[in-house]
Amino acid sequence: MTFESTKSLSASLEDYLQAIFWTAAAKGAARAKDIARQLGVKASSVTGALQTLAEKRFVHYQPYEAITLTAEGFDEAARVAQRHFIVREFFVTVLGLDRAVAEEEACRTEHCLGDDIAERLATLMEFVKAHPDMESGVSQLLAERYRSAEIPAQVRRGLVTVADLRSGQKAVIVAVRSGGALARRLVDMGLGRGALVEVEGAAPTGDPIRVKIRGYQLALRRTEAAVISVVGK
Amino acid sequence: MTFESTKSLSASLEDYLQAIFWTAAAKGAARAKDIARQLGVKASSVTGALQTLAEKRFVHYQPYEAITLTAEGFDEAARVAQRHFIVREFFVTVLGLDRAVAEEEACRTEHCLGDDIAERLATLMEFVKAHPDMESGVSQLLAERYRSAEIPAQVRRGLVTVADLRSGQKAVIVAVRSGGALARRLVDMGLGRGALVEVEGAAPTGDPIRVKIRGYQLALRRTEAAVISVVGK
DNA sequence: TGACGGAATTAGGCAAGACTAATAATATTG
DNA sequence: CAATATTATTAGTCTTGCCTAATTCCGTCA
Ligand SMILES: [Mn+2]
Ligand SMILES: [Mn+2]
Ligand SMILES: [Mn+2]
Ligand SMILES: [Mn+2]
């Protein structure tokens, strides 16, 4: 028996499939050489991939002959290409990425996002395009923030601090951003780089904030909490 | 010489780093056993990964001793954790994904998105949260569209057709959705499944649309173009 | 102290996916 | 049509990352 169990393709094989998809669309069929050039691999790697794809019934392959996709191969390739397209357009039109960068990032991302998420991204894009005020609002905010490439990303966006965490959320402290005395006091309480904090709750006014650290409870003033940068769990 | 050339980590090693990051935050240091359990691998795989990470100076590692991150390891782990967090929150709060699904998809996606894109996603999220009408609008549209799981995704969102393409754009035909006579005529003109079309332009009114296929130029009525489903390049 | 049991490491194997080098098939062309 | 050039395949190697099995280390307890 030993049926083809594996339903899904590796990122690498998805790229081979797409290369064949686009070449066959343009020229009717693909040759190993075309694929090798497009993917930047050696011809022998192409042969190997084709044998695997043929075994999985995604391509019509006979040694030395031109390569075409089976119906399943075409469907699979079209789905990957669709993800590629949606993700790239999202990066460009919503996130304001440079087209070339977006193309490259999309070609990686296409393999790890499900069709589901791609569909939702497309819907989000539609929505944004249908509301020009939002489109311009988003792009303006992004442009402002990412204009100068020198400023490190974390400073640009402003790090999340303990003051931003919701109740029950856990996070790791990455920095205590304050001068000597306060910083020392916080670190002495256990609130140093690398420590895990959990927000227990806050007073109705939002001040003080109750946190748990190393099993102990602490109450922090909002101004203190706002000085502790974290990465959330 | 032979300096550590490779600056970037594999997806697998990034996951090991994160496991150490969270365990060390909670308990001060990690043991191989903790890591193995979290990642669902055998202890011997952990040893291997630790040796690699130690060589790359991301962990402090002595056989049989507790494991901690170096300063560089901590920074790297924090960056991956940050991407994980941002991506998951984006999937949940903007795309309306189920938390558990989002967590899983994020744990894959964290390895293929650059910090840059994660930052931009965070900014987009901020913007959405700051504009409640947008938040509700998007979530309503998504909810409507993805309510019933039976409807296939492509039907839900409505496929892109030749009528939707911008000038100069290339695409592959995946289906001709129409009854007999028209479909046959279009296919006879070369507009069949798998063919590459390029939109050359459209009349000011948007009808007809000039397309190029197999080197030939064709003029399509808008109603005809709207029947040809494609995936864009 | 010494024996035991759990934790960690080593040794060796396997699969995927790339590479080089050698070889074979096909195309081109005088 | 034979010689040559191009293209493709095979054979064998390497790396990564996982596995199992065997072995070693170490903390605990009688
Ligand atoms: Mn790709
Ligand atoms: Mn791609
Ligand atoms: Mn992960
Ligand atoms: Mn993760």
Side-chain angles (χ1 to χ4, degrees):
Chain A
M1 275 291 179
T2 173
F3 278 121
E4 288 322 310
S5 45
T6 346
K7 53 256 355 290
S8 202
L9 292 171
S10 66
S12 169
L13 289 180
E14 282 187 351
D15 278 339
Y16 280 101
L17 222 49
Q18 271 184 106
I20 300 166
F21 180 79
W22 290 111
T23 307
K27 313 201 304 187
R31 309 282 345 197
K33 203 185 102 173
D34 306 319
I35 301 169
R37 188 178 27 73
Q38 274 179 76
L39 299 182
V41 299
K42 298 294 167 178
S44 57
S45 305
V46 175
T47 303
L50 288 174
Q51 289 167 344
T52 308
L53 288 172
E55 211 167 277
K56 294 181 188 291
R57 313 267 151 193
F58 285 120
V59 299
H60 296 296
Y61 169 66
Q62 290 296 113
Y64 299 103
E65 293 190 359
I67 298 132
T68 54
L69 295 173
T70 62
E72 300 81 48
F74 182 87
D75 287 342
E76 193 62 39
R79 283 176 40 214
V80 183
Q82 177 82 323
R83 292 201 298 269
H84 180 110
F85 179 76
I86 290 171
V87 169
R88 191 196 58 211
E89 291 301 304
F90 173 77
F91 287 166
V92 171
T93 68
V94 181
L95 298 188
L97 239 70
D98 175 76
R99 256 209 125 70
V101 176
E103 175 66 28
E104 203 188 306
E105 295 259 359
C107 210
R108 229 159 348 106
T109 310
E110 69 195 0
H111 310 291
C112 62
L113 287 186
D115 286 349
D116 181 22
I117 288 184
E119 288 295 327
R120 283 164 191 261
L121 281 179
T123 300
L124 172 60
M125 243 190 306
E126 258 179 60
F127 183 90
V128 170
K129 268 188 234 159
H131 299 257
D133 49 324
M134 283 169 192
E135 184 160 23
S136 62
V138 171
S139 71
Q140 207 178 313
L141 180 55
L142 284 163
E144 255 169 50
R145 208 165 264 179
Y146 301 107
R147 188 178 309 132
S148 61
E150 304 112 46
I151 308 170
Q154 304 217 316
V155 175
R156 270 181 262 160
R157 198 173 52 80
L159 274 175
V160 175
T161 69
V162 171
D164 303 315
L165 295 174
R166 297 183 311 269
S167 257
Q169 199 166 20
K170 290 179 187 169
V172 172
I173 296 173
V174 295
V176 180
R177 294 135 61 81
S178 96
L182 174 55
R184 211 171 313 125
R185 202 163 66 76
L186 291 171
V187 170
D188 286 345
M189 293 194 288
L191 294 162
R193 176 172 159 100
L196 187 77
V197 280
E198 178 173 354
V199 173
E200 297 266 281
T205 67
D207 195 349
I209 298 168
R210 279 180 299 114
V211 303
K212 196 162 78 177
I213 184 148
R214 292 206 225 130
Y216 299 105
Q217 293 217 353
L218 281 180
L220 291 177
R221 267 175 282 168
R222 196 163 195 80
T223 52
E224 296 170 332
V227 133
I228 306 172
S229 299
V230 295
V231 43
K233 171 147 190 115
Chain B
M1 276 290 177
T2 171
F3 278 122
E4 288 319 310
S5 44
T6 347
K7 51 260 345 307
S8 202
L9 292 172
S10 68
S12 171
L13 290 180
E14 283 187 350
D15 278 340
Y16 280 100
L17 221 50
Q18 271 184 105
I20 300 166
F21 179 79
W22 290 111
T23 307
K27 313 202 302 185
R31 309 283 343 199
K33 205 184 104 173
D34 306 319
I35 302 169
R37 188 178 27 72
Q38 275 180 74
L39 298 182
V41 299
K42 297 295 167 179
S44 57
S45 305
V46 176
T47 303
L50 288 175
Q51 289 166 345
T52 309
L53 288 172
E55 210 166 280
K56 295 182 188 292
R57 313 271 152 188
F58 284 120
V59 299
H60 295 295
Y61 170 66
Q62 290 295 114
Y64 299 103
E65 293 190 1
I67 299 131
T68 54
L69 296 173
T70 62
E72 300 82 47
F74 183 87
D75 287 342
E76 192 63 40
R79 282 174 41 209
V80 183
Q82 177 83 323
R83 293 200 298 267
H84 180 110
F85 179 76
I86 290 172
V87 169
R88 190 196 58 211
E89 292 302 304
F90 173 78
F91 286 167
V92 171
T93 68
V94 180
L95 298 187
L97 239 70
D98 175 75
R99 259 211 121 71
V101 176
E103 175 67 28
E104 203 187 305
E105 296 258 0
C107 209
R108 229 158 349 103
T109 310
E110 69 195 2
H111 309 291
C112 63
L113 287 187
D115 287 349
D116 181 24
I117 288 185
E119 287 295 325
R120 282 163 192 261
L121 280 179
T123 301
L124 172 60
M125 243 190 305
E126 256 180 60
F127 184 90
V128 171
K129 269 187 234 159
H131 298 256
D133 50 322
M134 180 171 180
E135 185 159 24
S136 63
V138 170
S139 72
Q140 207 178 312
L141 181 55
L142 284 162
E144 256 170 49
R145 207 164 264 181
Y146 300 107
R147 188 178 309 134
S148 62
E150 304 112 45
I151 309 170
Q154 304 217 317
V155 175
R156 268 180 265 159
R157 199 173 52 79
L159 276 174
V160 174
T161 69
V162 171
D164 303 314
L165 296 174
R166 298 184 310 270
S167 257
Q169 199 167 18
K170 290 179 186 171
V172 172
I173 296 172
V174 295
V176 180
R177 295 135 62 81
S178 97
L182 174 55
R184 209 171 314 124
R185 201 164 64 76
L186 291 171
V187 171
D188 286 346
M189 291 193 289
L191 294 161
R193 177 173 158 98
L196 186 78
V197 279
E198 177 174 355
V199 174
E200 297 266 281
T205 67
D207 194 349
I209 297 168
R210 280 179 296 115
V211 304
K212 196 162 78 178
I213 184 148
R214 293 204 224 130
Y216 299 105
Q217 293 220 352
L218 281 179
L220 292 175
R221 266 174 284 167
R222 196 159 195 85
T223 53
E224 296 170 331
V227 132
I228 306 172
S229 298
V230 295
V231 43
K233 168 135 192 133

